[in-house]
Amino acid sequence: VLTFFLCVSVGNTGPAAFWSLYYILSDARALKAINEELECHLPNFDLDLANGQEIMVDDSICEALSQCVNLDSAVNETLR
């Protein structure tokens, strides 16, 4: 049963991420609002500078993501 839920969750993550990005990128106002929100609440870090090192997600990043209302709404609307 656990294997089934793991396979289903992985199988649904890809399409959900694709459609979320599709709808966000197709609406200029939504993209602008989400970009402004992310720039305001999330710390800046360059993925190129990570050089294969693991990026740690700590409580401050989780708290910042919880403040991104527009991003949360876009993802929830896609999943609906």
Side-chain angles (χ1 to χ4, degrees):
V1 174
L2 180 60
T3 306
F4 172 74
F5 285 119
L6 180 63
C7 292
V8 170
S9 65
V10 171
N12 290 332
T13 302
F18 169 78
W19 286 111
S20 294
L21 285 174
Y22 173 77
Y23 287 123
I24 290 169
L25 294 174
S26 65
D27 185 356
R29 287 186 350 199
L31 180 60
K32 181 181 177 190
I34 291 171
N35 275 335
E36 289 173 356
E37 191 174 66
L38 290 175
E39 288 174 5
C40 177
H41 294 295
L42 289 176
N44 292 327
F45 58 89
D46 189 1
L47 293 176
D48 292 333
L49 296 178
N51 290 330
Q53 296 175 359
E54 186 175 328
I55 297 173
M56 300 301 293
V57 178
D58 58 4
D59 290 338
S60 64
I61 293 176
C62 293
E63 177 66 30
L65 280 173
S66 70
Q67 296 175 2
C68 295
V69 178
N70 292 325
L71 178 62
D72 186 50
S73 295
V75 171
N76 285 336
E77 195 61 27
T78 301
L79 294 175
R80 185 173 67 91

